[in-house]
Amino acid sequence: MWLNKKTLVFFLITLILMVGCSNKSKITKYDLPPMIFWKDTIYYVQDKNYESIKEEQIDKKIGEITKVIDGTETPKSHGIANIFKEGSNIFTLKGKKSEEIIVIQYENEYYIALSKSK
């Protein structure tokens, strides 16, 4: 019986070490921040809680997201984002220049996107 317990403990320790070490050998890709490329500018999408946007603060629709790429890639041409989905509306914000800030509507929520220069 003593040998069986010792063998079992050895087997369990070996198994735990094999599983633990195999996870360390994988390369982890970190997602990039949420971004949209709009009119030659990269905009970084802020958390919806960053600043509360109400519908009455929205000015006019200026377009929509035309393509969504993988979250590990950087958008490189107009209308492409690495978050949301195709067809999400893009608006200006009253009193703000679109070169500084745009607003994306996604599932009845509004998300602020600030230009990279901000």
Side-chain angles (χ1 to χ4, degrees):
M1 188 72 175
W2 170 252
L3 184 59
N4 288 338
K5 285 182 181 178
K6 193 173 183 180
T7 304
L8 181 62
V9 169
F10 176 76
F11 175 73
L12 288 174
I13 289 173
T14 304
L15 183 63
I16 290 169
L17 288 174
M18 286 174 47
V19 171
C21 292
S22 68
N23 287 340
K24 291 181 182 179
S25 66
K26 291 182 182 176
I27 296 173
T28 304
K29 283 190 174 181
Y30 293 99
D31 288 343
L32 296 171
M35 293 179 268
I36 180 170
F37 195 99
W38 191 258
K39 292 190 177 181
D40 299 322
T41 303
I42 287 280
Y43 290 83
Y44 290 94
V45 179
Q46 307 298 307
D47 184 296
K48 69 179 178 182
N49 297 318
Y50 175 75
E51 184 177 330
S52 182
I53 294 295
K54 295 181 176 27
E55 198 168 342
E56 57 268 10
Q57 294 175 281
I58 304 300
D59 193 12
K60 61 182 177 178
K61 181 179 173 181
I62 56 174
E64 60 185 44
I65 295 174
T66 57
K67 183 178 179 182
V68 177
I69 58 174
D70 186 81
T72 61
E73 298 178 53
T74 300
K76 294 188 169 116
S77 60
H78 180 74
I80 297 178
N82 67 355
I83 190 171
F84 305 121
K85 64 181 182 180
E86 290 179 25
S88 295
N89 292 319
I90 301 170
F91 298 92
T92 57
L93 189 63
K94 287 181 183 175
K96 300 288 184 179
K97 294 180 181 180
S98 63
E99 293 83 14
E100 299 172 0
I101 188 170
I102 58 175
V103 178
I104 295 98
Q105 180 184 20
Y106 177 69
E107 295 182 349
N108 297 319
E109 297 279 346
Y110 294 97
Y111 295 82
I112 293 174
L114 300 174
S115 68
K116 187 175 181 178
S117 62
K118 290 309 281 174

